[in-house]
Amino acid sequence: MKTCFFLSMLTPSLRLSILHTPTRMRVQQTCTLHKRRLLSSAVTPKLKVAVVGSGPAGFYTAYRILERIGESSVTVDMFEKLPVPFGLARFGVAPDHPEVKNCQEKFEEVAQSPSFQFFGNTAVGASTTNTSSLIPAPNQISLSLLRTNYDAIVLSYGADADKHLPSSLPGVHLSGIYSARQFVGWYNGHPEFQHLDPDLLRGDTAVVVGHGNVALDVARILLCDIDVLRKTDITEHAIAALSQSKIKHVKIVGRRGPAQASFTNKEVRELMTLDGVGFIQPAADVMKPFAEGGKSLGRVAKRLLQLLQRGSTVKAGDARKTFEFEFLKSPAGFIGDDNNQVSSAMFDIMELQGDPLQKDTKVKATGETVEIPCAASFLSIGYKINPISGVEEMYDDRANHLTNDTGKVVGSEDNLASLYAAGWTKRGPVGVIAETMYDAFETAELIVKDFESGLIGRGSSVRHGWQGVMSDLGSSSNLRIVSWQDWQKIDRSEREMGTKLGKEREKVTNVAEMLKILE
């Protein structure tokens, strides 16, 4: 009876093959053959993928790979230098934009996959300036070690440095001048920037250099009602400093005209509707070409013109704080006081060279300058990609991203793991999270295509992923890995602290404290 049941579970060809063999021998041979097939399918090697960076680009790429290839055929190991995940979604998104952070719910789903592993507190590549200030320092894993143990590696570690003004400009090293990236990291609780301690007590005027969304985030945080910020996940340390701030006026300065600004209408609209904050209209001569071309403007540019013309819901004369956009002004240097503190920002006055309504219209200096007194200045002139050790020759300094073909890193063709790029590492530090998602999906689809065509994961050599890494490191390695379960403990601790303060969470801003929670 048992034999009949067993035979009924076999394929027709296997049942037929035993008809001409003695019964006992037939069953033994068939059992052996069936067992071999089961064992063979059970040990079929999976595609081993390593993702470097746990921000939106990394998670969206991991999500698409797992969805398209299937959990039974692929494993995804994600490496993050901090003990906590989410990158830009945690440390770059403004605290008063909680809806933008909803993407973390999808990332949480990805992390629940049995084919996904998180390796926090683990930096890939040699130590760089961005990890030297993290105490204790993260584990260090070389890229070459990953390349010998994985089939594909996705580099999605983003931009962790600033573009700088030329060092030849006078006063660029004065106290009171901060990069917007550092300031955003400070109020968002990034461990690297908790030493910043911006001085907001010296005067009532701040100059923000740059016309992108990050510049407007900085301006909004400086202007926002402190009681509104208290309810967000901004750190209590930042709340304490901002509540004492004497900044009442913010000038947002850019080198080109209104039509060439990089900020979105949504960000402008939020500034216009801040409680108690008034908008000072730009100079009429700057706005005139923009206003006169109103009929030929596209929908987005026309809406911006309307926002600027309509102004804020609170008139500037009645407001407790004000802001204004300064156009056609390029940084020329800074002037300091006797204590080496910034007291003024100098700008070259620029003029447009061509159609004032076109996005790509260039500018040139007129030879005139203007001085804007200020007690603090925030430079939002762009982020810079730092290539990790092992891909320096594949980095395009001018384009500010890894050289790649729709996500496949150019110059990495060898017998080691194929290299791919996603997010800002792939296309430069531009765009919002939604654009990063589509970009990550493109890279993931390329990996799926390479897998299905046999370019990766189907060769004669079997990659062993993290087990191979540990084997190569040997028993002497003493890594302090933070797993996803560990992160969930930190997450619970932050939420508990936040509940006591009447907010969603209070972020732990010190790596040592994060690790102590896990003891």
Side-chain angles (χ1 to χ4, degrees), residues 143-144 147 153 155 157 385-405 407-414 416-421 424-427:
L143 180 62
S144 61
R147 294 196 71 191
I153 298 175
L155 302 174
Y157 53 84
I385 308 294
N386 265 338
I388 63 173
S389 179
V391 295
E392 297 93 339
E393 295 181 358
M394 306 164 199
Y395 172 68
D396 185 334
D397 186 66
R398 184 167 185 172
N400 195 20
H401 58 67
L402 293 181
T403 305
N404 68 92
D405 183 5
K408 185 72 170 286
V409 177
V410 176
S412 63
E413 298 81 4
D414 49 37
L416 301 176
S418 295
L419 295 182
Y420 302 84
W424 287 2
T425 316
K426 170 182 174 182
R427 58 191 170 91

Side-chain angles (χ1 to χ4, degrees), residues 438-461:
Y438 292 118
D439 169 85
F441 284 0
E442 179 184 57
T443 296
E445 291 294 338
L446 180 58
I447 292 172
V448 173
K449 179 181 177 182
D450 285 352
F451 175 60
E452 292 177 343
S453 65
L455 288 177
I456 59 174
R458 298 186 187 275
S460 57
S461 59

Side-chain angles (χ1 to χ4, degrees), residues 288-297 302 305 357:
K288 184 178 179 181
F290 195 37
E292 290 179 344
K295 292 183 179 180
S296 61
L297 290 173
K302 187 175 294 185
L305 174 60
L357 306 183

Side-chain angles (χ1 to χ4, degrees), residues 198-228:
D199 187 349
L200 307 177
L201 302 174
R202 294 183 53 251
D204 64 1
T205 301
V207 166
V208 179
V209 180
H211 274 173
N213 280 347
V214 175
L216 269 59
D217 281 347
V218 170
R220 196 175 64 257
I221 295 299
L222 291 171
L223 296 165
C224 192
D225 186 336
I226 198 68
D227 289 330
V228 172

Side-chain angles (χ1 to χ4, degrees), residues 293-310:
K295 292 183 179 180
S296 61
L297 290 173
R299 182 180 61 84
V300 175
K302 187 175 294 185
R303 183 60 182 146
L304 174 60
L305 174 60
Q306 293 171 348
L307 287 170
L308 295 176
Q309 289 177 330
R310 183 183 305 160

Side-chain angles (χ1 to χ4, degrees), residues 56-361:
F59 264 105
Y60 277 126
T61 305
Y63 161 70
R64 196 66 158 191
I65 290 172
L66 289 166
E67 178 189 53
R68 293 280 284 108
I69 295 180
E71 294 177 343
S72 62
S73 299
V74 63
T75 63
V76 178
D77 292 346
M78 181 174 285
F79 297 86
E80 165 60 49
K81 71 180 180 183
L82 290 173
V84 296
F86 305 143
L88 191 67
R90 176 179 169 99
F91 296 118
V93 175
D96 58 340
H97 284 174
E99 72 284 353
V100 181
K101 301 182 183 185
N102 289 340
C103 59
Q104 294 179 17
E105 296 177 7
K106 171 58 67 177
F107 304 160
E108 293 275 1
E109 291 180 17
V110 174
Q112 301 311 311
S113 168
S115 294
F116 175 92
Q117 290 188 94
F118 177 74
F119 296 91
N121 196 43
T122 306
V124 174
S127 297
T128 56
T129 54
N130 60 304
T131 58
S132 62
S133 60
L134 301 180
I135 301 173
N139 308 307
Q140 294 288 337
I141 303 291
S142 69
L143 180 62
S144 61
L145 190 58
L146 293 189
R147 294 196 71 191
T148 60
N149 288 287
Y150 288 87
D151 300 297
I153 298 175
V154 181
L155 302 174
S156 56
Y157 53 84
D160 58 2
D162 292 296
K163 286 186 176 180
H164 296 287
L165 292 174
S167 58
S168 58
L169 289 184
V172 291
H173 301 298
L174 288 170
S175 297
I177 301 174
Y178 313 97
S179 85
R181 183 181 72 92
Q182 293 174 334
F183 185 64
V184 169
W186 170 75
Y187 64 64
N188 271 330
H190 195 298
E192 185 181 348
F193 305 115
Q194 294 314 293
H195 66 283
L196 190 65
D197 193 25
D199 187 349
L200 307 177
L201 302 174
R202 294 183 53 251
D204 64 1
T205 301
V207 166
V208 179
V209 180
H211 274 173
N213 280 347
V214 175
L216 269 59
D217 281 347
V218 170
R220 196 175 64 257
I221 295 299
L222 291 171
L223 296 165
C224 192
D225 186 336
I226 198 68
D227 289 330
V228 172
L229 291 178
R230 287 186 198 279
K231 301 174 184 177
T232 72
D233 67 356
I234 192 171
T235 66
E236 288 299 297
H237 179 70
I239 285 290
L242 290 166
S243 64
Q244 299 297 317
S245 172
K246 293 184 178 179
I247 301 296
K248 303 294 183 184
H249 312 288
V250 178
K251 295 177 181 288
I252 310 168
V253 188
R255 64 190 300 270
R256 298 198 290 171
Q260 292 80 42
S262 298
F263 47 64
T264 61
N265 290 344
K266 175 181 179 295
E267 296 279 341
V268 176
R269 189 180 302 111
E270 288 185 341
L271 279 174
M272 294 294 186
T273 56
L274 283 178
D275 184 37
V277 177
F279 173 60
I280 299 174
Q281 291 284 344
D285 60 332
V286 173
M287 289 297 296
K288 184 178 179 181
F290 195 37
E292 290 179 344
K295 292 183 179 180
S296 61
L297 290 173
R299 182 180 61 84
V300 175
K302 187 175 294 185
R303 183 60 182 146
L304 174 60
L305 174 60
Q306 293 171 348
L307 287 170
L308 295 176
Q309 289 177 330
R310 183 183 305 160
S312 56
T313 53
V314 177
K315 299 302 179 185
D318 301 326
R320 59 181 177 82
K321 293 182 179 181
T322 62
F323 74 97
E324 59 186 299
F325 291 112
E326 295 272 4
F327 297 102
L328 298 174
K329 294 178 176 64
S330 182
F334 298 89
I335 297 173
D337 60 18
D338 293 339
N339 296 317
N340 230 23
Q341 299 273 349
V342 65
S343 59
S344 294
M346 299 296 298
F347 294 91
D348 290 321
I349 297 177
M350 314 299 285
E351 61 182 6
L352 292 165
Q353 298 296 293
D355 189 343
L357 306 183
Q358 293 299 312
K359 197 74 174 176
D360 58 354
T361 299

Side-chain angles (χ1 to χ4, degrees), residues 490-504:
I490 298 172
D491 180 43
R492 286 193 295 270
S493 178
E494 290 185 341
R495 291 180 183 276
E496 289 170 1
M497 287 189 290
T499 299
K500 295 176 182 178
L501 296 168
K503 58 201 293 190
E504 179 185 355

